[in-house]
Amino acid sequence: MKLKLFAIAAFLFFSQQIFSQDSYLKVAAKDSTKVYTGGIKYEVKTFPQKFEAKKPQNVIMMIGDGMGLAQVFAALTANGGQLYLDNFKHIGFSKTQSSDDFITDSAAGGTALSTGQKTYNGAIGVNTDTVAIKTILEMAEDKGLATGLVSTSAITHATPASYIAHQGSRGSYEDIAADFMKTDIDVFIGGGYKHFTQRKDGRDLTRDLQHNGYQVLRDMDEIARVKSGKLAGLIADEHNDVYPNRKMDLPRSTETALNILGQNKKGFFIMVEGSQIDWGGHANNTIYVVNETLDFDRAIGKALEFAAKDGETLIIVTADHETGGMAVVGGDLKSGMVKGAYTTGGHSAIMVPIFSYGPGAENFTGIMENTDIAKNIIRLLGL
Ligand code: MG
Ligand code: ZN
């Protein structure tokens, strides 16, 4: 017993050393379990595959943080063999290596996807000389497109931050929040309220947001009722909770953001992130991985509903990297049971899938660099 407690204490201490950049991992590590025993399944709709437009007017970029092929297949098994992702007929692979490391982190991975340039691990929207690089979201804004960010982590965390902020280090959350004020982003929904309000500089950025015409809301139901105008949804103080405990609802947030942004006649760009697939991978917790990937897939369903109706919307679903070196070593399509195995508590170097749907989807097939995904979007939107 004593030995077991010592082992747990040693593990917690050691995992803190590895992942000291983010405190959420301590919580995740406590609930480590390899088998998802099955749960409620959902029906998946089939969407049309013909589009009148040749080029997209709108792009919905969806990043499953840490979502490799094993994570997708685990979720597919858990849902009885079907996912909304089945509607994506153009499939490729993304090479995720950063400029200074064979294994990327989410900051360099996010920046590659947001700017088309490889940079060092930890970099937020800056190049290898820490000089700011214009992101797709900023380019879209310059062209009069509407823009949005939705995330199940803090909105200031590495992945969404890579699209809107320029900081040498991913941990500069308050500076990242301040960078939101330099843009004209239309809708953002996530956590991270305290990075806007409890700041060393004493500023309350939510006041500035309100002054700039944003509806600043913290309640999911109120957020979902917003039909137009600028929206800052800051639900959790920091990160939103683990599914299904969180107050933030990723599919509902996605639907809300798309309905607002879709009113812009010139088009829009949005990035939607399923952030916590990564944290489930870090914790080697199959239940966590499956729940988060299924939640992300249901958000993909909302994007498909919008895109199928609109006909000029391109959806790209990919990951910044894989997490956990996960394998699926057992499963049952009837019960939805999935058994995961893991080779690391960190990220792995393997290629991650790219799924695309809509006009222009044929540009995202084969083996690509993560930076080529961004370059293609920039070209297709004429940014
Ligand atoms: Mg992330
Ligand atoms: Zn990670």
Side-chain angles (χ1 to χ4, degrees), residues 126-188:
V126 297
N127 68 15
T128 50
D129 299 318
T130 67
V131 177
I133 325 167
K134 211 163 236 191
T135 70
I136 293 176
L137 187 141
E138 291 168 314
M139 293 179 204
E141 218 165 61
D142 289 350
K143 285 269 178 172
L145 274 69
T147 56
L149 290 173
V150 173
S151 171
T152 50
S153 61
I155 203 72
T156 44
H157 203 241
T159 313
S162 298
Y163 279 84
I164 198 161
H166 305 282
Q167 296 294 334
S169 163
R170 60 183 285 171
S172 309
Y173 293 121
E174 293 179 14
D175 296 327
I176 290 166
D179 279 354
F180 274 71
M181 315 310 295
K182 297 173 188 160
T183 74
D184 203 29
I185 183 169
D186 296 274
V187 176
F188 57 98

Short mmCIF file of all heavy atoms in Angstrom, two decimals, residues 126-188:
data_model
loop_
_atom_site.label_atom_id
_atom_site.label_comp_id
_atom_site.label_asym_id
_atom_site.label_seq_id
_atom_site.Cartn_x
_atom_site.Cartn_y
_atom_site.Cartn_z
N VAL A 126 4.53 33.93 -34.31
CA VAL A 126 5.80 34.59 -34.63
C VAL A 126 6.72 33.60 -35.34
O VAL A 126 6.58 32.39 -35.17
CB VAL A 126 6.53 35.16 -33.38
CG1 VAL A 126 5.69 36.24 -32.71
CG2 VAL A 126 6.89 34.05 -32.39
N ASN A 127 7.68 34.14 -36.11
CA ASN A 127 8.61 33.26 -36.83
C ASN A 127 9.81 32.91 -35.96
O ASN A 127 9.86 33.24 -34.78
CB ASN A 127 9.01 33.90 -38.17
CG ASN A 127 9.87 35.15 -38.00
OD1 ASN A 127 10.39 35.41 -36.93
ND2 ASN A 127 10.01 35.90 -39.08
N THR A 128 10.80 32.26 -36.56
CA THR A 128 11.95 31.78 -35.78
C THR A 128 12.78 32.93 -35.20
O THR A 128 13.57 32.73 -34.29
CB THR A 128 12.85 30.88 -36.65
OG1 THR A 128 13.13 31.58 -37.88
CG2 THR A 128 12.16 29.57 -36.99
N ASP A 129 12.59 34.15 -35.73
CA ASP A 129 13.25 35.33 -35.15
C ASP A 129 12.32 36.11 -34.22
O ASP A 129 12.57 37.29 -33.92
CB ASP A 129 13.72 36.27 -36.28
CG ASP A 129 14.73 35.60 -37.20
OD1 ASP A 129 15.62 34.90 -36.66
OD2 ASP A 129 14.63 35.76 -38.43
N THR A 130 11.25 35.46 -33.79
CA THR A 130 10.20 36.04 -32.93
C THR A 130 9.54 37.29 -33.52
O THR A 130 9.02 38.15 -32.80
CB THR A 130 10.69 36.36 -31.48
OG1 THR A 130 11.65 37.43 -31.53
CG2 THR A 130 11.30 35.15 -30.80
N VAL A 131 9.56 37.38 -34.85
CA VAL A 131 8.87 38.49 -35.53
C VAL A 131 7.44 38.03 -35.86
O VAL A 131 7.24 36.91 -36.34
CB VAL A 131 9.62 38.89 -36.82
CG1 VAL A 131 8.86 39.98 -37.57
CG2 VAL A 131 11.04 39.34 -36.50
N ALA A 132 6.47 38.93 -35.62
CA ALA A 132 5.07 38.59 -35.87
C ALA A 132 4.82 38.22 -37.34
O ALA A 132 5.37 38.86 -38.23
CB ALA A 132 4.19 39.78 -35.49
N ILE A 133 4.02 37.17 -37.56
CA ILE A 133 3.62 36.79 -38.91
C ILE A 133 2.11 36.96 -38.99
O ILE A 133 1.39 36.56 -38.07
CB ILE A 133 3.89 35.30 -39.22
CG1 ILE A 133 5.18 34.80 -38.54
CG2 ILE A 133 3.92 35.05 -40.72
CD1 ILE A 133 5.30 33.28 -38.56
N LYS A 134 1.63 37.52 -40.06
CA LYS A 134 0.19 37.69 -40.24
C LYS A 134 -0.49 36.32 -40.33
O LYS A 134 0.00 35.43 -41.02
CB LYS A 134 -0.09 38.52 -41.49
CG LYS A 134 -1.37 39.32 -41.33
CD LYS A 134 -1.48 40.45 -42.33
CE LYS A 134 -1.67 41.76 -41.59
NZ LYS A 134 -2.03 42.85 -42.46
N THR A 135 -1.60 36.17 -39.62
CA THR A 135 -2.31 34.89 -39.64
C THR A 135 -3.46 34.93 -40.65
O THR A 135 -3.87 36.02 -41.08
CB THR A 135 -2.90 34.58 -38.25
OG1 THR A 135 -3.98 35.50 -38.00
CG2 THR A 135 -1.86 34.72 -37.15
N ILE A 136 -3.97 33.76 -40.98
CA ILE A 136 -5.13 33.67 -41.88
C ILE A 136 -6.28 34.50 -41.36
O ILE A 136 -6.96 35.20 -42.11
CB ILE A 136 -5.57 32.19 -42.04
CG1 ILE A 136 -4.50 31.39 -42.77
CG2 ILE A 136 -6.92 32.09 -42.74
CD1 ILE A 136 -4.82 29.91 -42.89
N LEU A 137 -6.49 34.44 -40.03
CA LEU A 137 -7.60 35.20 -39.44
C LEU A 137 -7.40 36.70 -39.66
O LEU A 137 -8.34 37.41 -40.02
CB LEU A 137 -7.69 34.86 -37.95
CG LEU A 137 -8.89 35.44 -37.20
CD1 LEU A 137 -9.44 34.41 -36.20
CD2 LEU A 137 -8.56 36.73 -36.47
N GLU A 138 -6.18 37.17 -39.49
CA GLU A 138 -5.90 38.60 -39.69
C GLU A 138 -6.02 38.99 -41.17
O GLU A 138 -6.52 40.06 -41.50
CB GLU A 138 -4.52 38.95 -39.14
CG GLU A 138 -4.46 38.87 -37.62
CD GLU A 138 -3.04 38.92 -37.08
OE1 GLU A 138 -2.15 38.21 -37.61
OE2 GLU A 138 -2.82 39.65 -36.12
N MET A 139 -5.52 38.10 -42.05
CA MET A 139 -5.64 38.36 -43.50
C MET A 139 -7.10 38.41 -43.91
O MET A 139 -7.51 39.26 -44.71
CB MET A 139 -4.95 37.25 -44.30
CG MET A 139 -3.45 37.18 -44.15
SD MET A 139 -2.83 35.77 -45.14
CE MET A 139 -1.31 35.43 -44.29
N ALA A 140 -7.90 37.51 -43.35
CA ALA A 140 -9.33 37.47 -43.67
C ALA A 140 -10.01 38.76 -43.22
O ALA A 140 -10.83 39.33 -43.96
CB ALA A 140 -9.97 36.25 -42.99
N GLU A 141 -9.63 39.21 -42.03
CA GLU A 141 -10.16 40.46 -41.51
C GLU A 141 -9.85 41.63 -42.45
O GLU A 141 -10.71 42.46 -42.74
CB GLU A 141 -9.48 40.72 -40.18
CG GLU A 141 -10.37 41.30 -39.14
CD GLU A 141 -9.70 41.17 -37.80
OE1 GLU A 141 -8.62 41.75 -37.62
OE2 GLU A 141 -10.27 40.48 -36.94
N ASP A 142 -8.60 41.68 -42.90
CA ASP A 142 -8.16 42.75 -43.82
C ASP A 142 -9.01 42.78 -45.09
O ASP A 142 -9.19 43.84 -45.69
CB ASP A 142 -6.70 42.55 -44.22
CG ASP A 142 -5.75 42.85 -43.06
OD1 ASP A 142 -6.23 43.38 -42.03
OD2 ASP A 142 -4.55 42.54 -43.17
N LYS A 143 -9.49 41.60 -45.51
CA LYS A 143 -10.27 41.50 -46.74
C LYS A 143 -11.76 41.69 -46.51
O LYS A 143 -12.57 41.49 -47.41
CB LYS A 143 -10.04 40.13 -47.38
CG LYS A 143 -8.68 39.99 -48.06
CD LYS A 143 -8.76 40.40 -49.52
CE LYS A 143 -7.38 40.29 -50.16
NZ LYS A 143 -7.45 40.50 -51.61
N GLY A 144 -12.13 42.00 -45.28
CA GLY A 144 -13.54 42.25 -44.97
C GLY A 144 -14.35 41.00 -44.66
O GLY A 144 -15.57 41.06 -44.56
N LEU A 145 -13.66 39.86 -44.47
CA LEU A 145 -14.38 38.67 -44.07
C LEU A 145 -14.66 38.73 -42.57
O LEU A 145 -13.92 39.38 -41.82
CB LEU A 145 -13.53 37.41 -44.36
CG LEU A 145 -13.62 36.81 -45.77
CD1 LEU A 145 -12.98 37.73 -46.80
CD2 LEU A 145 -12.95 35.44 -45.81
N ALA A 146 -15.70 38.05 -42.13
CA ALA A 146 -15.97 37.93 -40.70
C ALA A 146 -15.05 36.83 -40.16
O ALA A 146 -14.64 35.93 -40.90
CB ALA A 146 -17.43 37.57 -40.47
N THR A 147 -14.71 36.92 -38.86
CA THR A 147 -13.78 35.93 -38.30
C THR A 147 -14.25 35.44 -36.93
O THR A 147 -14.95 36.15 -36.20
CB THR A 147 -12.37 36.54 -38.13
OG1 THR A 147 -12.46 37.72 -37.32
CG2 THR A 147 -11.75 36.90 -39.47
N GLY A 148 -13.82 34.21 -36.60
CA GLY A 148 -14.22 33.65 -35.31
C GLY A 148 -13.25 32.61 -34.80
O GLY A 148 -12.47 32.02 -35.56
N LEU A 149 -13.29 32.39 -33.49
CA LEU A 149 -12.51 31.35 -32.81
C LEU A 149 -13.40 30.69 -31.77
O LEU A 149 -14.08 31.39 -31.00
CB LEU A 149 -11.29 31.93 -32.10
CG LEU A 149 -10.12 32.48 -32.93
CD1 LEU A 149 -9.11 33.16 -32.02
CD2 LEU A 149 -9.46 31.37 -33.74
N VAL A 150 -13.41 29.35 -31.74
CA VAL A 150 -14.16 28.61 -30.74
C VAL A 150 -13.24 27.53 -30.19
O VAL A 150 -12.57 26.83 -30.96
CB VAL A 150 -15.43 27.96 -31.34
CG1 VAL A 150 -16.11 27.04 -30.33
CG2 VAL A 150 -16.42 29.02 -31.82
N SER A 151 -13.18 27.39 -28.86
CA SER A 151 -12.25 26.42 -28.28
C SER A 151 -12.76 25.90 -26.94
O SER A 151 -13.36 26.65 -26.17
CB SER A 151 -10.88 27.09 -28.08
OG SER A 151 -10.04 26.26 -27.33
N THR A 152 -12.49 24.63 -26.66
CA THR A 152 -12.88 24.07 -25.35
C THR A 152 -11.82 24.33 -24.28
O THR A 152 -12.01 23.98 -23.13
CB THR A 152 -13.17 22.56 -25.44
OG1 THR A 152 -12.07 21.92 -26.09
CG2 THR A 152 -14.44 22.28 -26.20
N SER A 153 -10.69 24.92 -24.66
CA SER A 153 -9.71 25.34 -23.65
C SER A 153 -9.95 26.83 -23.39
O SER A 153 -10.96 27.39 -23.81
CB SER A 153 -8.29 25.10 -24.15
OG SER A 153 -8.04 25.84 -25.33
N ALA A 154 -9.00 27.47 -22.70
CA ALA A 154 -9.02 28.93 -22.62
C ALA A 154 -8.82 29.44 -24.04
O ALA A 154 -8.06 28.85 -24.81
CB ALA A 154 -7.92 29.43 -21.70
N ILE A 155 -9.47 30.53 -24.39
CA ILE A 155 -9.36 31.09 -25.73
C ILE A 155 -7.95 31.68 -25.94
O ILE A 155 -7.53 31.95 -27.07
CB ILE A 155 -10.50 32.12 -25.99
CG1 ILE A 155 -10.76 32.29 -27.47
CG2 ILE A 155 -10.23 33.44 -25.31
CD1 ILE A 155 -11.45 31.13 -28.14
N THR A 156 -7.24 31.84 -24.84
CA THR A 156 -5.86 32.35 -24.86
C THR A 156 -4.82 31.23 -24.95
O THR A 156 -3.63 31.49 -24.98
CB THR A 156 -5.61 33.13 -23.55
OG1 THR A 156 -6.15 32.34 -22.47
CG2 THR A 156 -6.28 34.49 -23.56
N HIS A 157 -5.30 29.97 -24.96
CA HIS A 157 -4.37 28.83 -25.01
C HIS A 157 -3.75 28.70 -26.41
O HIS A 157 -4.25 29.29 -27.37
CB HIS A 157 -5.13 27.56 -24.61
CG HIS A 157 -4.24 26.47 -24.10
ND1 HIS A 157 -4.13 25.24 -24.71
CD2 HIS A 157 -3.41 26.44 -23.02
CE1 HIS A 157 -3.28 24.50 -24.02
NE2 HIS A 157 -2.82 25.19 -23.00
N ALA A 158 -2.70 27.91 -26.51
CA ALA A 158 -1.84 27.90 -27.70
C ALA A 158 -2.57 27.84 -29.05
O ALA A 158 -2.28 28.64 -29.95
CB ALA A 158 -0.84 26.75 -27.60
N THR A 159 -3.50 26.91 -29.21
CA THR A 159 -4.11 26.72 -30.54
C THR A 159 -4.90 27.95 -31.00
O THR A 159 -4.58 28.52 -32.05
CB THR A 159 -4.97 25.44 -30.56
OG1 THR A 159 -4.22 24.38 -29.97
CG2 THR A 159 -5.38 25.07 -31.97
N PRO A 160 -5.93 28.40 -30.24
CA PRO A 160 -6.62 29.61 -30.71
C PRO A 160 -5.70 30.83 -30.72
O PRO A 160 -5.78 31.66 -31.63
CB PRO A 160 -7.77 29.79 -29.71
CG PRO A 160 -7.45 28.92 -28.54
CD PRO A 160 -6.58 27.82 -29.05
N ALA A 161 -4.79 30.93 -29.74
CA ALA A 161 -3.88 32.08 -29.67
C ALA A 161 -3.06 32.20 -30.95
O ALA A 161 -2.80 33.31 -31.43
CB ALA A 161 -2.95 31.94 -28.46
N SER A 162 -2.67 31.07 -31.53
CA SER A 162 -1.84 31.08 -32.75
C SER A 162 -2.51 31.80 -33.91
O SER A 162 -1.84 32.23 -34.84
CB SER A 162 -1.53 29.65 -33.19
OG SER A 162 -0.81 28.99 -32.20
N TYR A 163 -3.83 31.91 -33.86
CA TYR A 163 -4.57 32.55 -34.95
C TYR A 163 -4.75 34.05 -34.76
O TYR A 163 -5.12 34.76 -35.69
CB TYR A 163 -5.95 31.89 -35.12
CG TYR A 163 -5.87 30.61 -35.91
CD1 TYR A 163 -5.53 29.40 -35.30
CD2 TYR A 163 -6.07 30.60 -37.30
CE1 TYR A 163 -5.42 28.23 -36.04
CE2 TYR A 163 -5.96 29.45 -38.05
CZ TYR A 163 -5.63 28.26 -37.41
OH TYR A 163 -5.51 27.12 -38.16
N ILE A 164 -4.48 34.54 -33.54
CA ILE A 164 -4.84 35.94 -33.28
C ILE A 164 -3.77 36.73 -32.54
O ILE A 164 -3.79 37.95 -32.52
CB ILE A 164 -6.18 35.99 -32.48
CG1 ILE A 164 -6.81 37.37 -32.56
CG2 ILE A 164 -6.01 35.52 -31.05
CD1 ILE A 164 -8.27 37.40 -32.22
N ALA A 165 -2.80 36.02 -31.94
CA ALA A 165 -1.81 36.71 -31.10
C ALA A 165 -0.41 36.53 -31.66
O ALA A 165 -0.17 35.67 -32.51
CB ALA A 165 -1.89 36.18 -29.68
N HIS A 166 0.49 37.35 -31.18
CA HIS A 166 1.90 37.29 -31.59
C HIS A 166 2.76 37.43 -30.35
O HIS A 166 2.99 38.54 -29.86
CB HIS A 166 2.20 38.39 -32.60
CG HIS A 166 1.28 38.35 -33.79
ND1 HIS A 166 1.44 37.45 -34.82
CD2 HIS A 166 0.16 39.06 -34.07
CE1 HIS A 166 0.46 37.62 -35.70
NE2 HIS A 166 -0.33 38.59 -35.26
N GLN A 167 3.20 36.29 -29.84
CA GLN A 167 3.99 36.29 -28.61
C GLN A 167 5.10 35.25 -28.73
O GLN A 167 4.90 34.17 -29.29
CB GLN A 167 3.10 35.94 -27.40
CG GLN A 167 2.00 36.96 -27.11
CD GLN A 167 2.54 38.34 -26.68
OE1 GLN A 167 3.64 38.45 -26.14
NE2 GLN A 167 1.76 39.39 -26.95
N GLY A 168 6.23 35.56 -28.19
CA GLY A 168 7.38 34.65 -28.24
C GLY A 168 7.19 33.39 -27.43
O GLY A 168 7.84 32.38 -27.68
N SER A 169 6.25 33.45 -26.45
CA SER A 169 6.07 32.32 -25.56
C SER A 169 4.59 32.06 -25.28
O SER A 169 3.84 32.99 -24.94
CB SER A 169 6.81 32.60 -24.25
OG SER A 169 6.35 31.74 -23.25
N ARG A 170 4.19 30.82 -25.39
CA ARG A 170 2.78 30.44 -25.26
C ARG A 170 2.19 30.70 -23.88
O ARG A 170 0.98 30.76 -23.72
CB ARG A 170 2.60 28.96 -25.63
CG ARG A 170 3.40 28.03 -24.75
CD ARG A 170 3.26 26.58 -25.20
NE ARG A 170 1.96 26.03 -24.82
CZ ARG A 170 1.50 24.86 -25.22
NH1 ARG A 170 2.22 24.12 -26.05
NH2 ARG A 170 0.34 24.42 -24.82
N GLY A 171 3.05 30.83 -22.89
CA GLY A 171 2.55 31.02 -21.52
C GLY A 171 2.17 32.45 -21.19
O GLY A 171 1.64 32.72 -20.11
N SER A 172 2.38 33.37 -22.12
CA SER A 172 2.07 34.79 -21.86
C SER A 172 0.58 35.05 -22.06
O SER A 172 0.17 35.82 -22.92
CB SER A 172 2.88 35.68 -22.81
OG SER A 172 4.24 35.34 -22.77
N TYR A 173 -0.24 34.42 -21.22
CA TYR A 173 -1.70 34.45 -21.43
C TYR A 173 -2.29 35.87 -21.40
O TYR A 173 -3.18 36.19 -22.17
CB TYR A 173 -2.40 33.58 -20.38
CG TYR A 173 -2.10 32.12 -20.54
CD1 TYR A 173 -1.52 31.38 -19.51
CD2 TYR A 173 -2.40 31.45 -21.73
CE1 TYR A 173 -1.25 30.02 -19.65
CE2 TYR A 173 -2.13 30.10 -21.88
CZ TYR A 173 -1.54 29.39 -20.84
OH TYR A 173 -1.27 28.06 -20.99
N GLU A 174 -1.79 36.70 -20.48
CA GLU A 174 -2.36 38.06 -20.37
C GLU A 174 -2.00 38.90 -21.60
O GLU A 174 -2.80 39.70 -22.07
CB GLU A 174 -1.89 38.72 -19.08
CG GLU A 174 -2.48 38.01 -17.86
CD GLU A 174 -2.03 38.60 -16.53
OE1 GLU A 174 -1.48 39.71 -16.51
OE2 GLU A 174 -2.25 37.93 -15.50
N ASP A 175 -0.79 38.71 -22.11
CA ASP A 175 -0.39 39.42 -23.33
C ASP A 175 -1.19 38.91 -24.53
O ASP A 175 -1.55 39.68 -25.42
CB ASP A 175 1.11 39.22 -23.59
CG ASP A 175 1.97 39.85 -22.50
OD1 ASP A 175 1.54 40.88 -21.94
OD2 ASP A 175 3.04 39.30 -22.19
N ILE A 176 -1.46 37.61 -24.53
CA ILE A 176 -2.27 37.03 -25.61
C ILE A 176 -3.68 37.62 -25.57
O ILE A 176 -4.24 38.00 -26.61
CB ILE A 176 -2.28 35.48 -25.52
CG1 ILE A 176 -0.89 34.93 -25.89
CG2 ILE A 176 -3.37 34.87 -26.40
CD1 ILE A 176 -0.66 33.47 -25.53
N ALA A 177 -4.25 37.72 -24.37
CA ALA A 177 -5.60 38.32 -24.23
C ALA A 177 -5.57 39.76 -24.75
O ALA A 177 -6.49 40.18 -25.45
CB ALA A 177 -6.05 38.28 -22.77
N ALA A 178 -4.50 40.50 -24.42
CA ALA A 178 -4.40 41.90 -24.88
C ALA A 178 -4.32 41.96 -26.40
O ALA A 178 -4.81 42.92 -27.02
CB ALA A 178 -3.19 42.56 -24.24
N ASP A 179 -3.71 40.94 -27.02
CA ASP A 179 -3.63 40.91 -28.49
C ASP A 179 -5.01 40.79 -29.15
O ASP A 179 -5.19 41.21 -30.30
CB ASP A 179 -2.72 39.76 -28.96
CG ASP A 179 -1.23 40.11 -28.89
OD1 ASP A 179 -0.92 41.29 -28.59
OD2 ASP A 179 -0.39 39.22 -29.12
N PHE A 180 -5.98 40.19 -28.45
CA PHE A 180 -7.35 40.12 -28.99
C PHE A 180 -7.88 41.53 -29.27
O PHE A 180 -8.65 41.74 -30.20
CB PHE A 180 -8.30 39.42 -28.01
CG PHE A 180 -8.33 37.92 -28.14
CD1 PHE A 180 -7.24 37.15 -27.74
CD2 PHE A 180 -9.44 37.27 -28.66
CE1 PHE A 180 -7.26 35.77 -27.86
CE2 PHE A 180 -9.46 35.88 -28.78
CZ PHE A 180 -8.38 35.14 -28.39
N MET A 181 -7.45 42.49 -28.44
CA MET A 181 -7.96 43.86 -28.54
C MET A 181 -7.44 44.59 -29.77
O MET A 181 -7.99 45.60 -30.17
CB MET A 181 -7.60 44.66 -27.28
CG MET A 181 -7.83 43.93 -25.97
SD MET A 181 -9.45 43.18 -25.81
CE MET A 181 -10.43 44.65 -25.80
N LYS A 182 -6.37 44.07 -30.35
CA LYS A 182 -5.77 44.71 -31.53
C LYS A 182 -6.45 44.25 -32.81
O LYS A 182 -6.05 44.65 -33.90
CB LYS A 182 -4.28 44.38 -31.60
CG LYS A 182 -3.49 44.91 -30.43
CD LYS A 182 -2.05 44.41 -30.47
CE LYS A 182 -1.30 44.77 -29.20
NZ LYS A 182 -0.12 43.93 -28.99
N THR A 183 -7.41 43.33 -32.69
CA THR A 183 -8.06 42.79 -33.87
C THR A 183 -9.54 43.18 -33.88
O THR A 183 -10.04 43.79 -32.93
CB THR A 183 -7.99 41.25 -33.89
OG1 THR A 183 -8.89 40.74 -32.92
CG2 THR A 183 -6.58 40.77 -33.60
N ASP A 184 -10.19 42.77 -34.94
CA ASP A 184 -11.59 43.09 -35.10
C ASP A 184 -12.41 41.80 -35.16
O ASP A 184 -13.45 41.74 -35.78
CB ASP A 184 -11.74 43.89 -36.41
CG ASP A 184 -13.00 44.73 -36.40
OD1 ASP A 184 -13.43 45.11 -35.31
OD2 ASP A 184 -13.56 44.96 -37.50
N ILE A 185 -11.91 40.75 -34.50
CA ILE A 185 -12.57 39.44 -34.53
C ILE A 185 -14.04 39.60 -34.15
O ILE A 185 -14.37 40.37 -33.24
CB ILE A 185 -11.83 38.43 -33.61
CG1 ILE A 185 -12.49 37.05 -33.69
CG2 ILE A 185 -11.76 38.93 -32.17
CD1 ILE A 185 -11.68 35.95 -33.03
N ASP A 186 -14.92 38.88 -34.83
CA ASP A 186 -16.36 39.05 -34.62
C ASP A 186 -16.91 38.20 -33.48
O ASP A 186 -17.73 38.65 -32.70
CB ASP A 186 -17.12 38.72 -35.92
CG ASP A 186 -16.77 39.70 -37.01
OD1 ASP A 186 -17.41 40.76 -37.07
OD2 ASP A 186 -15.80 39.45 -37.77
N VAL A 187 -16.46 36.93 -33.43
CA VAL A 187 -17.00 36.01 -32.43
C VAL A 187 -15.87 35.18 -31.84
O VAL A 187 -15.07 34.61 -32.58
CB VAL A 187 -18.03 35.03 -33.08
CG1 VAL A 187 -18.52 34.01 -32.06
CG2 VAL A 187 -19.20 35.78 -33.69
N PHE A 188 -15.78 35.13 -30.52
CA PHE A 188 -14.93 34.11 -29.90
C PHE A 188 -15.61 33.52 -28.68
O PHE A 188 -16.23 34.23 -27.89
CB PHE A 188 -13.50 34.60 -29.61
CG PHE A 188 -13.36 35.81 -28.74
CD1 PHE A 188 -13.09 35.67 -27.38
CD2 PHE A 188 -13.45 37.08 -29.28
CE1 PHE A 188 -12.91 36.78 -26.57
CE2 PHE A 188 -13.27 38.21 -28.47
CZ PHE A 188 -13.01 38.06 -27.12
#
